[in-house]
Amino acid sequence: GKTNLVESLYLLSFAKSFRTNSLQELARWKTGECSVFANFTNSQNHDLELGVSIQAGKKQLFKNSNKITKISEFLGSFCCIC
């Protein structure tokens, strides 16, 4: 419920969990994978799509449907206080 929502927002903001360091714990039990994607409109009225996908213990970051290789390009795109 509520923890899942907060954890999803935190993951999109910081590209990590506040609850665990293990990527496997973020995935649904016995599946080993998960993803979180969201669309935002920022204060300058620009649309932004962010996503985090975890498969086989590896994390992939996406910004506007493009795979991000540097975490510095992802961080700061969506700021939240959880």
Side-chain angles (χ1 to χ4, degrees), residues 36-76:
V36 177
F37 285 82
N39 294 307
F40 304 95
T41 301
N42 66 15
S43 59
Q44 290 84 28
N45 210 27
H46 293 113
D47 292 331
L48 176 67
E49 179 188 24
L50 293 176
V52 178
S53 177
I54 299 169
Q55 296 178 345
K58 295 187 179 188
K59 180 171 39 179
Q60 295 180 339
L61 305 174
F62 297 88
K63 186 174 181 180
N64 294 328
S65 300
N66 297 311
K67 188 174 174 184
I68 301 296
T69 55
K70 294 182 181 179
I71 196 166
S72 61
E73 295 175 21
F74 187 83
L75 296 177

Side-chain angles (χ1 to χ4, degrees), residues 7 17 19-29 34 54:
E7 187 160 36
S17 170
R19 190 176 51 82
T20 181
N21 288 329
S22 171
L23 294 176
Q24 284 79 14
E25 286 188 39
L26 296 176
R28 187 176 192 170
W29 191 59
C34 71
I54 299 169

